[in-house]
Amino acid sequence: MKNLEIALLLGEIADLLEIKGENQFKIRAYRRASRAVKYLKENIEDLKEKGSLTKIPGVGKGIAAKIEEYLDTGEIKYYTELKKEVHPELLNLIRLPGVGIKTAKIIHEHFPGIDIELLKKYAEEGKIRALPGLGPKTEQNLLRGIDLMYGEREKYSIGIAKTSAEIILDFLNSISEVERAEIAGSVRRGKDLVGDLDLVISAKNYQEVVYYFEKHPHIQRVEKIGDQRFKAATWLGIKVDIEFADEDNFIETLYISTGSEEHIQQVKKLAEGFKGQITKNGIFINGSKIFLEGEKDIFSALGLPYIEPELREGRGEVEAAKKGRLPLLVKLNDIKGDLQVHSTWSDGMNSIEEMVQEAVAMGYSYIAITDHSKSLGIANGLSEKRLMEQWEEIEKLREKYAPFKILRGIEVDILSDGRLDFDEEVLKNLDLVIASIHSGFKQDRETITKRIISALENPYVDIIAHPTGRILGKRPPYDFDFERVLEKAAETNTVLEINASPDRLDLDDEQARAAKEMGIKIAVNTDAHERSCLNDIQYGVITARRAWLQKEDIINCMEPDELLNFLAERKKGAMP
DNA sequence: GCCGTTTTCGGCCCGACTGTTTTCAGTCG
C-alpha cells in the first residue's frame, strides 16, 4: 500500500506551495487530495490499474497524473523541483504549532539555514524576540511547541505505530523461515504514543530473515545487534526492534518484551514469594522450569488469572488479580454503534447515507449524526434551519435502512462565554446532544472550567466530547480543573467521551479510569469525518481497556432500545 | 488544482483569538 506515502507527498507539495506563496485554492486542492488519499479504503495501486484515480474526491487530471508518475517511477518531478526552490528547514519551521509561513520566513531571513535545535537555543537566549514582528510571547510559544513536538523524542500515535507493526508482522509471517512472530512492547499494550515497534520472532534461520527484511519496501535500514536482535527503521523513520527467541522460550520472551517494566517488576517480586524466577529463558518455580502453552500459564503458575496486555502498566493490576478483582474488559465487538459521526452537512467527506452504509457493514445497530453547529464557520456548521433540513434527509434514510437506527444529533459548540451555540428549544428536539469546545483554548483555568461546567449543567447535553481538547504531539490539553468537571459530570449523569481518533484519544486511559471510578458513563466515539475513520473505534476500545472499562461502563455497548431508553430517561430528568 | 441539476469559467472556508502593535497581521480550527 502506497496510500500513506502518496498522501504525505501531496501534503508536502501543499506546504511547499504555501511557502512559495502560490494560489491558496491550489494549495487547498493538494491538501484535500492528500486527505482523501490518506483515508482511502482501496489500495491506490489498484485504482491506478483500473484507471479510476480521478474517482477519488479532490483528485482531478493534474494530481492523478502526479500519482501515476510516482507509482511508475518512484518520483514526482514537480515535487523534486519544488524542493529545490525551498529551504528544507522552512518545512520543519512551519510544522511547529503557532508558526506559519510569515513567522517562519522572518526567522529564516535573519538566521539562514536555522534548524530546530538552533532555534531552541536562540529562543532560550532571547534572540527570537528581537526579530521584527515577533515578541516574548511568540518566543515562549515557540519553546513550548518545540517541547511538545520534539520533547518526547519522536513518539508516534498508536494509529501509525499499530498499522506499521501489523504490516511488518504480516511480512514476517510470509517468510517461510519464520516459525512464529508476535507484536510486543507498548504497541501490544495499546499506549497512545509509541517510541518504537517491538516484535518477537522465532525462526529456523535468522540470517535469512534479516536478508529478506532488508528487501522490504517499508524498511529503510537494518542493523544487527548481537545474535539476539536486530534493529531497523521504517520509511517513516519509526524504529523497529526485532528480538529472536527459540520455540521453547518464545512465550517468556514475548511476555517480558511486552512489559511494561513496572508490571514485570511487580510480577517478579510476587514470583520471589513462590521461590520463582521470571526470565526470558524460562519461568522457574522451586528451580524447575514451567512448561508454557501461553502467557496465561505464567500467571497461573503464580496463582493469578490472566492479565490482559492493556492492563500491564503496574497500576494495580497485580493486586487486583490477586484479589480476583480484574475487570472483564470491553471488547471491540461489544460496540454496537458510533455516537459521534460527521457528514457533508458540515465538514465530513461523506454523505449521511455513506456513513450509514459503512456502519451497517461494520455490523453496528445505530449511529448518531452529529454535525457541527453554526458558530464553527470553517466547518460549515449547521444553522437551526439547515439542522431541520438535515432531519428530513435522516427521516428518509431511517425508513430505507430500518431497523438500523439513525439518531438525530449535534456537536454543539460550547462558546467562549459558556453558552451553547443552540438554545434549549432546538436541543430538546434532538435524540443526542454532544457539547464540545473548539475555541478559546487559551482562556484561563477558571474560565474554561466554568464553560465546561455550564455545559454539564445544561439538561439537554448528553455527552461532552474530547473533554480535554488535546491533539497528540500538536496541542496540549486546555487548562481546566478536571476534578471539578468529573464531580459535575457524576452529579448531572452526563456522559464523557473517549474520542477514538488516534490523534486525540481524549479522555486518555487514566482520565477515563478516574471517570469510571466516580460512576460516570463513557461513550467511545470515532468523531469520524470520513467513512474509513469509523474503523478508528479500535483505538478507542484499546484506550477503554487500558482504563479498565467493562462494556457496562460504555453507553454505545448498549443495544439500541436500551440506549434510547437511557437517553430518554436523561431527557425526562431534564424536564422541569 | 478541482468542480459543475452552473458545463470549460469562475468560484472555492471564514471568524475569533493572540500578540505585536498603535490599528492590524498571522495563525488556527
Side-chain angles (χ1 to χ4, degrees), chain A residues 420-520:
Chain A
L420 294 181
D421 202 14
F422 285 141
D423 60 36
E424 299 194 351
E425 282 308 301
V426 177
L427 297 182
K428 74 177 183 192
N429 290 315
L430 287 152
D431 300 319
L432 181 81
V433 176
I434 296 181
S436 61
I437 285 185
H438 293 103
S439 61
F441 298 109
K442 293 192 175 162
Q443 288 174 335
D444 62 76
R445 185 178 177 87
E446 188 57 24
T447 309
I448 295 188
T449 306
K450 277 187 179 153
R451 282 169 77 187
I452 303 174
I453 295 231
S454 81
L456 286 165
E457 282 171 341
N458 186 304
Y460 296 104
V461 169
D462 299 301
I463 301 175
I464 302 289
H466 41 77
T468 80
R470 74 165 179 174
I471 306 281
L472 285 162
K474 274 200 193 130
R475 191 173 76 201
Y478 32 71
D479 187 17
F480 71 106
D481 187 336
F482 187 58
E483 288 301 314
R484 268 170 71 198
V485 164
L486 284 188
E487 281 163 20
K488 186 55 82 174
E491 179 193 319
T492 56
N493 190 25
T494 310
V495 178
L496 298 183
E497 183 181 73
I498 291 178
N499 192 290
S501 163
D503 294 329
R504 288 189 182 267
L505 296 172
D506 177 9
L507 303 174
D508 71 18
D509 49 4
E510 296 192 70
Q511 292 162 338
R513 188 172 168 192
K516 173 198 165 125
E517 279 166 8
M518 292 187 66
I520 296 164

Side-chain angles (χ1 to χ4, degrees), chain A residues 208-344:
Chain A
E208 287 281 298
V209 175
V210 175
Y211 170 80
Y212 285 121
F213 212 74
E214 283 174 330
K215 303 263 177 290
H216 189 268
H218 266 94
I219 298 300
Q220 276 186 349
R221 55 174 190 274
V222 176
E223 180 193 352
K224 198 152 178 291
I225 312 276
D227 293 335
Q228 289 304 309
R229 59 183 1 141
F230 68 95
K231 287 178 184 284
T234 70
W235 66 272
L236 270 176
I238 311 177
K239 295 189 190 78
V240 187
D241 195 331
I242 299 203
E243 185 163 7
F244 304 142
D246 293 326
E247 191 58 16
D248 65 357
N249 73 339
F250 188 90
I251 305 287
E252 294 89 332
T253 307
L254 175 66
Y255 174 64
I256 290 178
S257 300
T258 297
S260 66
E261 205 127 326
E262 292 76 13
H263 168 83
I264 301 290
Q265 285 310 324
Q266 290 179 12
V267 173
K268 277 185 176 170
K269 197 152 200 191
L270 182 70
E272 283 168 15
F274 287 79
K275 296 200 167 54
Q277 253 191 324
I278 294 180
T279 72
K280 284 185 179 174
N281 290 322
I283 309 296
F284 301 91
I285 302 280
N286 281 324
S288 56
K289 187 171 174 176
I290 307 285
F291 173 74
L292 304 174
E293 266 185 18
E295 281 180 328
K296 67 171 173 26
D297 298 327
I298 300 176
F299 295 112
S300 62
L302 302 173
L304 299 179
Y306 179 66
I307 301 178
E308 305 267 7
E310 292 94 331
L311 295 181
R312 300 181 200 164
E313 293 292 345
R315 297 196 288 224
E317 71 278 6
V318 177
E319 273 307 299
K322 271 201 267 184
K323 293 180 187 153
R325 287 196 190 145
L326 283 178
L328 188 59
L329 295 183
V330 60
K331 295 189 297 293
L332 189 55
N333 64 9
D334 290 328
I335 299 288
K336 298 287 183 280
D338 200 322
L339 297 176
Q340 196 192 162
V341 172
H342 295 263
S343 76
T344 45

Side-chain angles (χ1 to χ4, degrees), chain A residues 21 35 44 63 67 74 81 112 135-136 159 170 192 316 319 367 370 375 380 424 451 462 469 472 477 497 501 507 562:
Chain A
R35 201 169 113 133
I44 197 156
I63 293 181
I67 294 174
E81 289 306 311
D170 281 348
D192 48 11
E319 273 307 299
I367 54 171
T370 54
S375 285
N380 192 23
E424 299 194 351
R451 282 169 77 187
D462 299 301
L472 285 162
E497 183 181 73
S501 163
L507 303 174
E562 198 187 342

Side-chain angles (χ1 to χ4, degrees), chain A residues 116-242:
Chain A
I116 300 294
E117 204 179 328
L118 207 51
L119 176 64
K120 186 169 182 224
K121 182 165 172 279
Y122 287 171
E124 281 163 353
E125 290 170 357
K127 285 183 182 161
I128 299 300
R129 69 177 70 192
L131 300 181
L134 307 184
K137 293 269 186 154
T138 308
E139 199 171 72
Q140 283 311 305
N141 286 339
L142 267 176
L143 284 171
R144 267 201 295 272
I146 293 172
D147 203 40
L148 195 65
M149 284 189 72
Y150 296 90
E152 302 190 38
R153 59 184 174 84
E154 296 192 313
K155 296 273 185 170
Y156 297 89
S157 82
I158 182 73
I160 290 176
K162 184 162 178 276
T163 309
S164 302
E166 284 165 354
I167 290 173
I168 292 170
L169 182 68
D170 281 348
F171 175 65
L172 288 170
N173 278 325
S174 73
I175 301 174
S176 59
E177 275 75 12
V178 172
E179 290 161 327
R180 192 161 178 197
E182 297 283 352
I183 296 169
S186 51
V187 174
R188 182 158 180 243
R189 301 200 312 279
K191 277 197 72 177
D192 48 11
L193 287 173
V194 168
D196 50 12
L197 311 180
D198 296 296
L199 289 98
V200 177
I201 63 170
S202 75
K204 286 179 222 141
N205 182 338
Y206 290 118
Q207 298 302 331
E208 287 281 298
V209 175
V210 175
Y211 170 80
Y212 285 121
F213 212 74
E214 283 174 330
K215 303 263 177 290
H216 189 268
H218 266 94
I219 298 300
Q220 276 186 349
R221 55 174 190 274
V222 176
E223 180 193 352
K224 198 152 178 291
I225 312 276
D227 293 335
Q228 289 304 309
R229 59 183 1 141
F230 68 95
K231 287 178 184 284
T234 70
W235 66 272
L236 270 176
I238 311 177
K239 295 189 190 78
V240 187
D241 195 331
I242 299 203

